[in-house]
Amino acid sequence: VILPRFRHTLRSMSLIDCAGLETPVVQSTILQSLGMQKCPNLDSLALDCPCLTSLDLSQSTYVNVELWGLHKKLPRLKLLSLAGNDVLKYAVVPSPSLLEYIDLSGCSSLMSINISCPSLHHLRTDECCKLEMVSIQSFAIKSLDLSNLPLLLVRIHCPCLLNLKLNSCEGLESKRCSIICPSLRDVDIRGTLLFSPEDFCDSVSVRCEWIGSL
């Protein structure tokens, strides 16, 4: 157990590059921020922190990322970073998660993302060189950058989304792209085989008169 004597008083904890951690368990009733970047032995990490709002596990080996259970043990979590994780293959975050910010950038083994977070404002996926499937549902996100990814399947249901970048997603075909974003204004599909501007308007649930940068 990590620092058990402080678990009822400690609000923020940073454990960076702690190679000696083995089967760590973090339990706290008031901890709000936890950073465990560059920790190599987090495949058995157990968290029970009902007040935690920020969790940074970037560049850490965290094999068993059970994201679908985070809303139960970390019900107030708003910020999650798994950037640079080279073993994570699937990221599934279901509703009713309160996550607002998710960083999956540099996850070199990541193949699939399935996120349903009503409060999600920001998602980073840059340098995910094996990412083939993305499914996102959010009522808050307004800008989404999925450019330069090897995507084969995209499902986006984000009624408040204004800006979407799909440029240089060379493998994405129109029949594998479902976009329901009635507020969409700016779309970048340069360098793709997706659509002509007319086909894009016919294939997705947007109003063409609002699209400014096809």
Side-chain angles (χ1 to χ4, degrees):
V1 179
I2 298 176
L3 301 179
R5 62 180 295 187
F6 299 114
R7 67 179 182 176
H8 297 302
T9 59
L10 198 64
R11 296 182 182 276
S12 178
M13 183 164 59
S14 180
L15 300 167
I16 301 176
D17 200 13
C18 293
L21 287 176
E22 294 183 3
T23 61
V25 177
V26 183
Q27 294 178 316
S28 172
T29 56
I30 66 170
L31 188 67
Q32 297 177 1
S33 177
L34 176 61
M36 302 183 74
Q37 305 95 310
K38 299 182 180 180
C39 293
N41 300 312
L42 298 184
D43 38 316
S44 59
L45 174 63
L47 299 173
D48 188 2
C49 305
C51 291
L52 196 70
T53 61
S54 176
L55 177 61
D56 190 343
L57 300 173
S58 56
Q59 301 183 54
S60 297
T61 303
Y62 188 34
V63 178
N64 299 317
V65 187
E66 296 188 2
L67 299 179
W68 49 89
L70 282 180
H71 65 281
K72 296 179 181 179
K73 292 189 176 182
L74 307 176
R76 298 186 184 181
L77 192 64
K78 293 184 178 181
L79 184 152
L80 173 65
S81 177
L82 296 169
N85 186 312
D86 59 1
V87 295
L88 180 65
K89 292 184 178 181
Y90 308 101
V92 180
V93 184
S95 184
S97 172
L98 297 179
L99 279 167
E100 296 179 358
Y101 180 97
I102 301 175
D103 188 351
L104 298 171
S105 60
C107 292
S108 57
S109 298
L110 187 62
M111 301 174 62
S112 174
I113 294 175
N114 191 339
I115 295 176
S116 179
C117 293
S119 301
L120 184 68
H121 284 83
H122 189 78
L123 172 68
R124 286 195 60 186
T125 60
D126 45 293
E127 298 183 23
C128 293
C129 57
K130 294 184 179 180
L131 185 59
E132 296 182 345
M133 194 281 281
V134 171
S135 178
I136 301 173
Q137 295 186 52
S138 169
F139 293 102
I141 195 167
K142 294 184 177 180
S143 181
L144 182 60
D145 188 350
L146 299 175
S147 59
N148 299 294
L149 296 173
L151 294 173
L152 299 177
L153 177 64
V154 169
R155 297 186 183 123
I156 303 172
H157 184 186
C158 301
C160 293
L161 190 69
L162 300 175
N163 305 296
L164 175 62
K165 292 185 178 182
L166 293 169
N167 51 295
S168 301
C169 296
E170 299 177 353
L172 192 59
E173 301 178 7
S174 57
K175 63 183 179 180
R176 294 177 175 268
C177 189
S178 174
I179 301 174
I180 303 176
C181 304
S183 300
L184 199 59
R185 293 181 180 228
D186 295 294
V187 182
D188 190 344
I189 55 174
R190 293 173 298 171
T192 73
L193 301 175
L194 270 175
F195 313 92
S196 67
E198 295 80 9
D199 290 338
F200 185 89
C201 291
D202 291 339
S203 300
V204 304
S205 297
V206 298
R207 292 177 294 178
C208 295
E209 62 266 28
W210 290 114
I211 297 181
S213 63
L214 274 169

